[in-house]
Amino acid sequence: MYSDKVMDHFEHPRNVGEIDNASGSGTVGNAKCGDIMKMDIKVENGVIVDAKFKTFGCCAAVATSSMATEMIKGKTIEEALALTNKQVMDELGGLPPVKIHCSVLAEESIRAALEDYQKKHA
Ligand code: FES
């Protein structure tokens, strides 16, 4: 059902936790399944130097948030805003159709953290 990469990121999630004095934070949830995702980012000179997440959710939610944090590190705000759930899924080798909404949660949590950063640094 899940690719090896999804299982790897679920069993060994990267960047779990919180960032003290995060530059931006965002928490999103899915009303249907009840899963929640919190994303913290650290930005220096317009570049995301660190990203950490906490996910109370399913295997696909954990794997996509783990992969998403890896993908936005080293990116500018504009580049990270352009990251889509499809790119995260592709990088994971795909997800079953019923699990696509989990990757949307990862995209939304990153966007929420980036918007929080932009609000604070407007
Ligand atoms: Fe809800 Fe995966 S089942 S995020």
Side-chain angles (χ1 to χ4, degrees):
M1 182 180 179
Y2 289 120
S3 70
D4 290 346
K5 245 182 178 176
V6 171
M7 289 312 295
D8 178 39
H9 277 265
F10 172 59
E11 286 169 359
H12 311 285
R14 282 57 147 186
N15 311 309
V16 174
E18 290 174 299
I19 297 176
D20 289 337
N21 299 316
S23 312
S25 296
T27 302
V28 295
N30 182 296
K32 274 192 195 145
C33 65
D35 289 357
I36 296 171
M37 204 178 277
K38 177 174 183 280
M39 186 71 62
D40 288 345
I41 54 169
K42 185 99 187 155
V43 180
E44 282 174 12
N45 301 319
V47 174
I48 298 167
V49 293
D50 200 8
K52 290 200 186 300
F53 76 93
K54 275 190 166 175
T55 290
F56 301 93
C58 71
C59 167
V62 172
T64 50
S65 31
S66 168
M67 178 57 89
T69 52
E70 289 282 89
M71 290 175 79
I72 60 168
K73 279 204 262 180
K75 281 192 165 41
T76 64
I77 303 299
E78 290 70 28
E79 287 169 346
L81 276 169
L83 184 76
T84 65
N85 69 306
K86 168 135 185 9
Q87 290 170 317
V88 178
M89 280 196 303
D90 288 347
E91 200 61 32
L92 283 167
L95 282 174
V98 292
K99 289 289 172 184
I100 290 173
H101 79 273
C102 318
S103 66
V104 172
L105 214 51
E107 180 190 305
E108 287 176 350
S109 68
I110 286 173
R111 200 147 289 168
L114 291 166
E115 281 168 6
D116 182 47
Y117 169 79
Q118 287 178 321
K119 245 186 265 160
K120 287 176 180 162
H121 297 82

